[in-house]
Amino acid sequence: MATQAQIDALLQRMRGMSAADISVLAASSQTPESSMTTAPGSANEALWSEMVGLGWMIRREEELELPGRAPLVMKIYSISPEGLQPILNLLLILSQG
């Protein structure tokens, strides 16, 4: 269970993100069993990693074989059943300003 301080920190991070970044999470929260990926070091990766730590999201990795190159490791995120409502709550608060 997340503490109020953790929730406040997530909300603060989300307020600093672009609408495009937030839209990915919002769309995923409305699409059961969807998966998301993003660039390493992105604002979404930072946010989603924090949510993984709270058990709100699940992260898995897949390797893509590329001819003549080292495999590309993709991090794939999805919202956990336990995380759906807390994430929806954060999105609602964010939409209210």
Side-chain angles (χ1 to χ4, degrees), residues 14-45:
M14 291 170 75
R15 285 188 171 126
M17 294 171 68
S18 73
D21 284 336
I22 295 299
S23 72
V24 176
L25 183 62
S28 185
S29 72
Q30 300 300 317
T31 310
E33 299 180 29
S34 65
S35 296
M36 306 171 287
T37 189
T38 190
S42 70
N44 272 331
E45 183 183 42

Side-chain angles (χ1 to χ4, degrees), residues 4-85:
Q4 189 61 47
Q6 289 169 313
I7 292 169
D8 291 345
L10 287 172
L11 191 55
Q12 185 67 17
R13 180 182 291 280
M14 291 170 75
R15 285 188 171 126
M17 294 171 68
S18 73
D21 284 336
I22 295 299
S23 72
V24 176
L25 183 62
S28 185
S29 72
Q30 300 300 317
T31 310
E33 299 180 29
S34 65
S35 296
M36 306 171 287
T37 189
T38 190
S42 70
N44 272 331
E45 183 183 42
L47 176 68
W48 300 346
S49 292
E50 285 186 46
M51 291 180 172
V52 167
L54 294 173
W56 294 3
M57 295 189 86
I58 299 161
R59 178 177 48 222
R60 61 184 168 78
E61 294 184 355
E62 285 187 15
E63 282 190 6
L64 295 176
E65 296 295 330
L66 302 173
R69 300 187 66 190
L72 173 67
V73 178
M74 293 181 53
K75 292 180 183 174
I76 302 168
Y77 295 83
S78 58
I79 298 174
S80 70
E82 302 79 19
L84 181 59
Q85 193 57 54

